[in-house]
Amino acid sequence: MPGTGAAALAWALLAGALLLPPPPPVLPQPHWRNVSETEAQFNTTYTDWVDDSLLHIYAFNHSVRRNRTEGVRVSVNVLSDHKDLPVLFVVRQKEAVVSFQVPLILRGLYQRKYAYQEVSRTLCQPQTKAEVETQHFYVDVSTLSVNASYQLRVTRVENFVLRTNERFSFNATAAQPQYFKYEFPEGVDSVIVKVTSAMAFPCSVISIQDILCPVYDLDNNVAFIGMYQTMTKKAAITVQKKDFPSHSFYVVVVVKTEDEACGGALPYYPLSKNASPDEPVDQHNRQKTLEVMVSPAITSEAYVSSVVFCLSIFLSFYVLTLLIACWESCRQHKRKGLLSAMDSPSLDTGHSRSIPDSFLGRGYDSYGYGSFGNGSSSSTEGVTDSLGSTEVSYSYVGQEQFKRRTPSAPTRPLSIPMGERSLENVAGRPRLDSLSSVEEDDYDTLADIDYDKNVIRTKKYLCVADLARKDKRVLRKKYQIYFWNIATIAVFYALPVIQLVITYQTVVNVTGNQDICYYNFLCGLAPRSAFNNILSNLGYVLLGLLFLLIEPPLPLPSAPQECGIPKHFGLFYAMGTALMMEGLLSACYHVCPNYTNFQFDTSFMYMIAGLCMLKLYQKRHPDINASAYSAYACLALVIFFSVVGVVFGKGNTAFWIVFSVIHILATLLLSTQLYYMGRWKLDSGILRRILHVLYTDCVRQCSGPMYVDRMVLLVMGNIINWSLAAYGLIVRPNDFASYLLAIGICNLLLYFAFYIIMKLRSGERIKLIPLLCIISTSVVWGFALFFFFQGLSTWQKTPAESREHNRDCILLDFFDDHDIWHFLSSIAMFGSFLVLLTLDDDLDCIQRDKIYVF
């Protein structure tokens, strides 16, 4: 077919065309530049011009000695104003190339541009093995503008190598950074690089870098390698020799383009009304004068001596406790021999007390809390008369007898006169040995009171015996729950905390960003930057453990169990565990203290304050104390508010209004519960009852409070808490966690003072040991608070501003002021626990129906 050959030929031509290479592109003719080379000299200023057709090359000869390092600095200044077409400077060395343009454009926050006309850079110093070597380097100057004039000057840097314990002053700007070299001398394994300035701003950055080329000495690259800190007036970095193979490093100082990172104000941009937002802003001369000094850090021998010192302080308490225990054991043994030789079995001689006049006729607790319901084993305690009577008789010296009937349950006569009740009668009371038929909830005295709420209680005086009717095994189990709950909380709280702070420390070591942690860098100790703060927390752990190991005080050999304050140590065990956890979590916090983990240092402080208040209340109200679950739920709520306040409370008016309202309402509710001994319930009828009380006591008749002493305490507590709420709402402190802790401590101190006053008013006394504990603990707390308020760092400000408070170590060149706070506060807390443990030792031989409740 004729068409077949034509088609084949067309396909062949097409395939050939596809396989042929394309024709070469048409390249533009090269633009040949004139090259001008100059043999240049140091310390000479070269003023010249350059355009797109000219390239200037300045050749320098530099003699390098192996045992002596000299810095070389290149300074340029472009006199022409061509921002779109800058002048390019390239420095070619043996092992490095440094290039920069002028005007130098550096970026700040939100990609703002800042231009600098004067630029100075220090050249990297290559290593040499020869004794003396002549090295050449070249400075190339070029541009694409029509005509640009410039000045060039190359100088040698004086004092380029820093010497140990010698100060050196210098100036730096954002476009004229400085860096110096330091070499570890023999016998020095770690040093502290301290940089100071009398000027807070402009903000600067201190960096420690290995001896490598290039050196990252601009604001936009200084954080690439090594360790660095922002700085206002102080900066300090601990450096170890083992981290640098060459046993030397560079100290780089860079001034930042903006002060926002150091807590300064962000400048308006653009500064000129006629300037375009995309046009770089000329900041002129942001110069800062600084002073650098390198001094040896602490040695390994100092570590050992400081650890031994710390251990010896707290282990001495163990030795002292052992000696006191031996002495007490001998004293008890002698007393036992004396008591066995006595003919009279009564131990109550010299201990009978009458009711003080201040308590008579005062209407002290008309609720009685002596509940005798069916099915309760506690109803058999303190009852020695017939069970068949349906009348309850409260009879006391100097008081008339009142008789009331209870329609729901048989009641039993109590006709034992107050002040005439002997220990024989108390010791002979029947007790239930089996609890198999009764659940723990059946022993809740509050429930018993609600059961007998129809009984009109006219008892004018309430004693501990009325509130200590539960079986001791039930109460022991109840208060042991405090210990086991806090132990469980401690485990599940501490494990993620430890993991988190280890991650923080790893991030600091990997990135070199030392702004993550708020240390006292002037007393920083490697390998952990705050090892001194970690070690000083050992006192909380050791003294908390010692408090757990202290055996409960033994009663007199023949004294019945119904004497003295009931000995329930579950809350004490919880307090000791909380003290140990405070030390552990405080140590975790000091691994990397910052804004996000400050709650670790305060969580168990809230628990300690709450447990101490519960223990004070439990001393006189053993049967009606709050359960462990409700108590820890309230403490969890406090910690929740602490976290929310730290995160959202800074300057947030809405949060402070809500918190202040909740604080006041919680104070009123707790005051009502305490005043009415738990009889006032929060339910739908609370408003009706409030109006009824106001009408009855304020409108219908003007009657004073029935419980005057308790009312005085609650009024003072409300005044203090309302004042704290008003202070928080008006001032709105940044440190919300400390503010919340101050609320707890103020309430604890108020309640403790009330307890002491009421104890003395009740005719009781404070024995020598608790009195010495109170005095010595108060003195130690005073010194501890002095060191606490020194404030060596604060996460409420920027890291650079926090370092302005840093100070050197003051004890053994190892511990700082905050470490002394740790020492003294742990001892003071231990002493405070001992006060609570021994405060009522004077009542050990007093019958419980002669110990007043307040």
Side-chain angles (χ1 to χ4, degrees), residues 47 137 327 383 426 450 588 730 785 814:
T47 303
F137 66 92
W327 174 78
V383 179
V426 177
D450 292 336
C588 291
I730 297 173
L785 292 175
F814 190 91

Side-chain angles (χ1 to χ4, degrees), residues 270-335:
L271 300 178
S272 174
K273 295 182 179 180
N274 299 325
S276 172
D278 296 331
E279 184 178 355
V281 175
D282 189 356
Q283 288 193 309
H284 305 291
N285 190 15
R286 280 174 55 88
Q287 182 171 287
K288 187 170 187 176
T289 302
L290 304 103
E291 187 177 74
V292 61
M293 186 182 73
V294 183
S295 57
I298 193 170
T299 61
S300 58
E301 291 79 7
Y303 272 85
V304 176
S305 61
S306 300
V307 172
V308 171
F309 171 80
C310 184
L311 289 174
S312 62
I313 289 179
F314 300 110
L315 291 181
S316 62
F317 284 87
Y318 283 76
V319 176
L320 182 61
T321 302
L322 181 61
L323 294 176
I324 294 176
C326 294
W327 174 78
E328 182 67 19
S329 178
C330 295
R331 192 172 66 89
Q332 291 281 4
H333 182 72
K334 292 180 180 179
R335 181 175 295 182

Side-chain angles (χ1 to χ4, degrees), residues 317 772-787 820-832:
F317 284 87
L772 292 177
C773 288
I774 292 174
I775 296 175
S776 59
T777 301
S778 301
V779 173
V780 175
W781 269 124
F783 284 103
L785 292 175
F786 170 79
F787 286 100
I820 300 179
W821 149 255
H822 286 164
F823 291 147
L824 296 180
S825 62
S826 61
I827 296 173
M829 284 187 180
F830 179 73
S832 301

Side-chain angles (χ1 to χ4, degrees), residues 582-838:
E582 170 59 29
L584 176 61
L585 293 179
S586 178
C588 291
Y589 164 72
H590 283 289
V591 170
C592 182
N594 56 40
Y595 171 81
T596 58
N597 61 12
F598 179 70
Q599 57 171 315
F600 304 155
D601 194 29
T602 57
S603 296
F604 275 82
M605 290 183 183
Y606 303 137
M607 290 197 174
I608 290 174
L611 291 173
C612 288
M613 283 189 281
L614 285 173
K615 185 59 188 178
L616 277 174
Y617 189 80
Q618 181 255 334
K619 281 177 173 291
R620 305 286 170 152
H621 312 79
D623 283 1
I624 63 172
N625 206 2
S627 67
Y629 307 109
S630 59
Y632 286 130
C634 294
L635 293 175
L637 186 63
V638 172
I639 295 176
F640 170 77
F641 275 109
S642 174
V643 175
V644 174
V646 170
V647 177
F648 303 105
K650 188 175 182 179
N652 192 333
T653 305
F655 167 80
W656 281 101
I657 292 175
V658 172
F659 176 77
S660 299
V661 171
I662 293 175
H663 183 193
I664 293 174
L665 292 179
T667 302
L668 290 174
L669 178 62
L670 183 61
S671 300
T672 305
Q673 289 290 96
L674 291 176
Y675 184 75
Y676 290 103
M677 299 290 287
R679 291 283 295 160
W680 187 282
K681 290 186 177 180
L682 182 62
D683 53 21
S684 59
I686 186 172
L687 294 179
R688 179 177 54 83
R689 292 196 301 271
I690 292 176
L691 294 176
H692 177 73
V693 170
L694 292 176
Y695 173 76
T696 303
D697 294 346
C698 299
V699 178
R700 190 173 179 180
Q701 60 180 1
C702 185
S703 58
M706 183 176 295
Y707 320 117
V708 178
D709 298 300
R710 202 180 308 156
M711 176 61 71
V712 172
L713 166 68
L714 296 176
V715 168
M716 293 181 61
N718 277 269
I719 292 175
I720 292 175
N721 281 276
W722 288 34
S723 301
L724 290 171
Y727 171 82
L729 185 60
I730 297 173
V731 179
R732 284 174 284 179
N734 293 330
D735 191 354
F736 181 80
S738 297
Y739 167 77
L740 196 59
L741 182 62
I743 294 176
I745 293 176
C746 288
N747 284 276
L748 174 59
L749 293 177
L750 176 65
Y751 189 29
F752 181 75
F754 170 80
Y755 192 94
I756 295 294
I757 293 173
M758 294 302 299
K759 181 178 177 66
L760 297 177
R761 288 193 62 201
S762 303
E764 301 172 7
R765 61 188 179 89
I766 301 177
K767 298 182 72 174
L768 179 61
I769 291 180
L771 181 61
L772 292 177
C773 288
I774 292 174
I775 296 175
S776 59
T777 301
S778 301
V779 173
V780 175
W781 269 124
F783 284 103
L785 292 175
F786 170 79
F787 286 100
F788 174 77
F789 288 111
Q790 296 304 305
L792 303 181
S793 62
T794 173
W795 50 263
Q796 304 173 53
K797 301 179 181 179
T798 63
E801 292 175 313
S802 173
R803 276 185 280 272
E804 294 182 15
H805 304 283
N806 289 177
R807 287 205 294 271
D808 294 325
C809 306
I810 62 173
L811 179 62
L812 301 178
D813 289 330
F814 190 91
F815 299 111
D816 60 13
D817 299 72
H818 197 72
D819 295 317
I820 300 179
W821 149 255
H822 286 164
F823 291 147
L824 296 180
S825 62
S826 61
I827 296 173
M829 284 187 180
F830 179 73
S832 301
F833 290 178
L834 291 181
V835 170
L836 294 179
L837 181 65
T838 61

Side-chain angles (χ1 to χ4, degrees), residues 150-293:
Y150 63 89
Q151 289 181 340
L152 171 67
R153 183 179 178 88
V154 177
T155 58
R156 289 184 172 87
V157 180
E158 300 292 336
N159 299 319
F160 181 72
V161 178
L162 300 175
R163 295 178 177 84
T164 306
N165 292 326
E166 291 187 9
R167 298 180 180 272
F168 176 67
S169 300
F170 59 93
N171 297 324
T173 67
Q176 300 175 355
Q178 298 268 17
Y179 66 86
F180 307 93
K181 183 180 179 180
Y182 179 80
E183 298 177 352
F184 282 94
E186 292 295 331
V188 177
D189 296 326
S190 62
V191 295
I192 298 181
V193 180
K194 302 177 183 179
V195 184
T196 58
S197 176
M199 309 163 56
F201 299 104
C203 178
S204 56
V205 178
I206 311 302
S207 174
I208 302 297
Q209 302 179 19
D210 199 0
I211 305 296
L212 297 174
C213 295
V215 178
Y216 295 93
D217 59 349
L218 292 177
D219 185 22
N220 54 11
N221 62 17
V222 69
F224 284 179
I225 63 172
M227 301 176 288
Y228 64 92
Q229 296 177 2
T230 54
M231 170 190 165
T232 53
K233 293 184 177 182
K234 291 181 182 179
I237 300 179
T238 301
V239 186
Q240 290 186 287
K241 180 190 288 187
K242 66 181 183 63
D243 296 332
F244 298 93
S246 63
H247 296 171
S248 58
F249 58 87
Y250 285 136
V251 180
V252 183
V253 181
V254 178
V255 175
K256 294 185 69 66
T257 57
E258 295 174 339
D259 298 330
E260 189 268 344
C262 294
L266 195 64
Y268 292 104
Y269 187 88
L271 300 178
S272 174
K273 295 182 179 180
N274 299 325
S276 172
D278 296 331
E279 184 178 355
V281 175
D282 189 356
Q283 288 193 309
H284 305 291
N285 190 15
R286 280 174 55 88
Q287 182 171 287
K288 187 170 187 176
T289 302
L290 304 103
E291 187 177 74
V292 61
M293 186 182 73

Side-chain angles (χ1 to χ4, degrees), residues 355 358-370 394 396 399 402 446 449 455-467 617 620-622 624 671-680 705-711 713-714 751 754 758 762 851-854:
I355 303 174
S358 60
F359 280 86
L360 293 177
R362 185 159 300 194
Y364 200 90
D365 257 318
S366 64
Y367 288 128
Y369 287 87
Y394 299 98
Y396 296 95
Q399 301 181 25
F402 298 91
L446 286 177
I449 292 173
V455 179
I456 302 175
R457 297 170 178 84
T458 58
K459 190 172 182 181
K460 308 278 284 183
Y461 165 71
L462 194 65
C463 60
V464 171
D466 298 314
L467 301 183
Y617 189 80
R620 305 286 170 152
H621 312 79
I624 63 172
S671 300
T672 305
Q673 289 290 96
L674 291 176
Y675 184 75
Y676 290 103
M677 299 290 287
R679 291 283 295 160
W680 187 282
M706 183 176 295
Y707 320 117
V708 178
D709 298 300
R710 202 180 308 156
M711 176 61 71
L713 166 68
L714 296 176
Y751 189 29
F754 170 80
M758 294 302 299
S762 303
I851 302 175
Y852 314 125
V853 171
F854 43 79

